[in-house]
Amino acid sequence: MAARSAAASRPSTAGGLLSIGQVLAKLSPEFPDLTPSKLRFLEEQQLVSPTRTESGYRKFSAADVDRLRFILTMQRDHFLRLKVIRGYLDDIEAGRTPPLLASGAVPTTILATERRYTRGELAREAGASPTLLTDAISASLLAAADTYGEDAVHVLRALVELQRSGIEPRHLRGFRAAAERELGLIESALIPVSRRNDPSSRAKAAELAREIAGQLEVVRSSLIRSALGKLQS
C-alpha cells in the first residue's frame, strides 16, 4: 500500500518525529474529534504508517501529519469513506489523476498543506469586515478560535455575499439548530456501534457518522434544488 511504501522511504532517525500526543496537539484545533483511537484506527486501515521506536512507540513525521490533515479534511469537508480516500491517495502517489480530482469534485488546493489564518488574516482573505466575522462567531456559524483553515475562508466569503443580499449572520442561527438536529439523528443511528466501548468501535462509529452525514447532505441538497425549481416555475 502507498502508506507503507511512504513509510519505508522515510529515514529511520527519530529526529524531528512527533509522538501521538504532539500530533493531537497540532491537529486537534482543526479536528476537535481527533483522538488517539482514531489515529490508531487510521493506521490499521493503512492510511498512515508511523515509524516505531525500539520500545514500540509510534512516531510521526511532518509528512505523516500532512497526510493525516489531508485525510481528515477529505472526511470532514467531502464526507468520503476511508477506502475511497485510500484509493485517492494511491492514485496520487502512483502519478495518476484520481476521478474525483479530474471531475473537480475535490479542489486541487486540498493536496497542499492547509494554510492557517489569524482572525485578521481570515477577514482580509474573505473580504469581510471584522464586524461580520464577529457576528458569524456570535451566530455559531464559525467557531471562536485563534486560527482558522480554508473552510472558514469559504464560509466567511459566502457570508459576505449573503450580506450583500441583506442576509446577516443572525438570520442564519437556525442553521446551527438544524445541524444539531442532524447530529441527534446521527447519534441515534450510532447507538448499536457506540455501545461497544473499545477503541476500534469508537473509530468505526466516527467513520459511520461521516457516511451518514454525507447521505443527509445529499437529501438536503435535493430538497433545496427542488424548492428552487418551484420558485423558478
Side-chain angles (χ1 to χ4, degrees):
M1 299 301 293
R4 289 178 173 174
S5 62
S9 66
R10 290 197 299 268
S12 59
T13 176
L17 299 182
L18 304 177
S19 67
I20 283 184
Q22 290 170 319
V23 172
L24 289 173
K26 275 184 171 292
L27 296 179
S28 291
E30 300 169 64
F31 309 99
D33 60 345
L34 183 61
T35 63
S37 297
K38 177 65 178 287
L39 287 177
R40 287 191 285 270
F41 180 70
L42 292 175
E43 182 183 0
E44 289 173 9
Q45 297 301 305
Q46 299 180 327
L47 281 155
V48 65
S49 293
T51 58
R52 297 276 186 144
T53 66
E54 292 183 1
S55 302
Y57 292 105
R58 295 171 177 82
K59 291 292 182 178
F60 296 80
S61 68
D64 288 327
V65 175
D66 288 343
R67 186 180 180 92
L68 285 166
R69 182 179 285 110
F70 173 84
I71 293 165
L72 296 167
T73 301
M74 294 280 271
Q75 282 190 311
R76 181 192 64 194
D77 297 349
H78 302 280
F79 305 105
L80 297 182
R81 295 177 359 180
L82 289 180
K83 67 179 181 180
V84 175
I85 297 173
R86 184 167 55 239
Y88 188 93
L89 288 167
D90 288 346
D91 281 344
I92 292 172
E93 294 180 356
R96 298 187 293 268
T97 300
L100 285 171
L101 182 59
S103 68
V106 176
T108 56
T109 52
I110 200 173
L111 301 179
T113 301
E114 186 180 33
R115 178 182 168 185
R116 303 299 299 171
Y117 300 87
T118 64
R119 288 196 184 192
E121 290 170 340
L122 173 62
R124 287 193 295 274
E125 185 72 17
S129 67
T131 300
L132 181 62
L133 175 55
T134 300
D135 290 347
I137 294 171
S138 297
S140 298
L141 301 174
L142 288 173
D146 293 328
T147 63
Y148 295 85
E150 294 292 339
D151 188 56
V153 175
H154 298 318
V155 170
L156 195 55
R157 281 178 180 161
L159 292 174
V160 169
E161 295 302 318
L162 288 169
Q163 189 179 53
R164 289 173 181 156
S165 299
I167 300 175
E168 300 287 344
R170 67 178 182 275
H171 299 141
L172 304 177
R173 290 183 185 275
F175 278 43
R176 171 60 61 183
E180 290 174 352
R181 285 195 297 272
E182 287 189 12
L183 179 60
L185 289 174
I186 294 171
E187 288 176 339
S188 296
L190 294 178
I191 287 174
V193 178
S194 58
R195 279 177 177 162
R196 305 172 206 151
N197 193 22
D198 60 86
S200 178
S201 294
R202 287 195 294 272
K204 288 175 183 176
E207 172 71 0
L208 178 58
R210 296 184 188 282
E211 290 186 25
I212 295 172
Q215 298 306 320
L216 291 172
E217 178 64 26
V218 170
V219 174
R220 185 192 307 108
S221 298
S222 175
L223 291 171
I224 292 173
R225 286 194 300 270
S226 177
L228 286 173
K230 292 177 181 177
L231 286 176
Q232 296 166 0
S233 61

